[in-house]
Amino acid sequence: MTDPAHLAAVRDSYDTVAADYLRLVVPPEGMDPVSRAMLAAFAELVRESGGGEVADLGCGPGRVTAYLSGLGLSAFGVDVSGGMIALARRAHPQLRFLQGSMAALDLPDAALGGILAWYSVHHTPPAQLPALFAEFARLLAPGGHLLLGGHVGEPQLLRPARAYGHPVTYASHLVPAGRLVELLEQAGFTVTARVEQPNPQREDRSYVCLLARASGGR
């Protein structure tokens, strides 16, 4: 089956930028304190809910996957970019990394105790977010936890010509944080925490972390 055009653009672009992405993007240890606190809270919630495997969807070079593993989670990574997966496997051979689309994972229902989507859903066209979040809900065990982090703002289509020092062809989509909450709730999640921080470089967008729990469980 041929990949959708937007997915092929994401895959090809991140294959191109992979090495410089790894060089330029700060590792989890260098993130702001709020982001690290949200990752820690997510890890604690998953552990308290009985654990289970955690998928880092859009894992890139695997540094956040490894960070989750260091927080006591049984974490593995998934990314559409083979270049990113190669970097992740090389740097973290003790962990499992799979190449594939977060929208169509070959996993059974209720297979996961947690899902992390860290700055990875913004390449999904907004019209496809309901199906993506339904897939997240399918994959999570009852009471499982989702942490979604990303850029938010008034609806806007962004088509950068270059990123991380290279030409790229992907698109990014800004969606209001409140709309993400609505879509998660429509997919059956209960949003349990919402933390939004301003972007000091851009007044038209901010950073959001959304913690959500799948239906069922405690």
Side-chain angles (χ1 to χ4, degrees):
M1 180 181 297
T2 303
D3 288 337
H6 81 275
L7 193 62
V10 170
R11 181 195 62 222
D12 295 346
S13 295
Y14 279 102
D15 282 349
T16 299
V17 307
D20 284 308
Y21 179 102
L22 180 63
R23 180 176 61 85
L24 294 169
V25 174
V26 298
E29 295 79 7
M31 290 179 185
D32 65 277
V34 173
S35 295
R36 285 186 281 110
M38 293 300 285
L39 289 169
F42 168 71
E44 184 172 345
L45 287 167
V46 172
R47 293 195 307 267
E48 288 184 349
S49 297
E53 283 202 301
V54 172
D56 177 7
L57 302 183
C59 66
R63 293 189 295 194
V64 181
T65 318
Y67 191 76
L68 294 179
S69 178
L71 293 174
L73 299 183
S74 177
F76 69 97
V78 178
D79 202 282
V80 72
S81 165
M84 289 291 196
I85 291 296
L87 290 176
R89 288 172 174 167
R90 189 178 309 135
H92 310 287
Q94 77 282 12
L95 300 178
R96 181 163 57 109
F97 294 96
L98 308 173
Q99 184 178 2
S101 167
M102 69 173 72
L105 293 177
D106 187 18
L107 293 172
D109 294 356
L112 302 174
I115 288 174
L116 175 68
W118 195 249
Y119 292 80
S120 57
V121 305
H122 59 277
H123 294 305
T124 301
Q128 297 181 26
L129 287 175
L132 179 65
F133 293 161
E135 174 71 351
F136 290 179
R138 180 189 73 81
L139 291 169
L140 280 171
H145 296 276
L146 166 69
L147 175 58
L148 188 155
H151 307 279
V152 293
E154 290 305 307
Q156 187 177 354
L157 172 63
L158 307 172
R159 288 193 175 277
R162 296 180 66 84
Y164 311 106
H166 298 271
V168 293
T169 58
Y170 59 59
S172 295
H173 306 269
L174 286 182
V175 177
R179 179 58 177 159
L180 292 177
V181 171
E182 290 175 359
L183 292 173
L184 288 171
E185 290 175 343
Q186 290 170 13
F189 287 96
T190 299
V191 175
T192 57
R194 169 178 167 176
V195 176
E196 197 164 349
Q197 301 183 83
N199 182 328
Q201 279 78 47
R202 297 294 301 264
E203 293 184 358
D204 63 338
R205 64 193 69 172
S206 57
Y207 307 117
V208 75
C209 290
L210 299 173
L211 271 170
R213 187 178 66 249
S215 60
R218 293 186 299 163

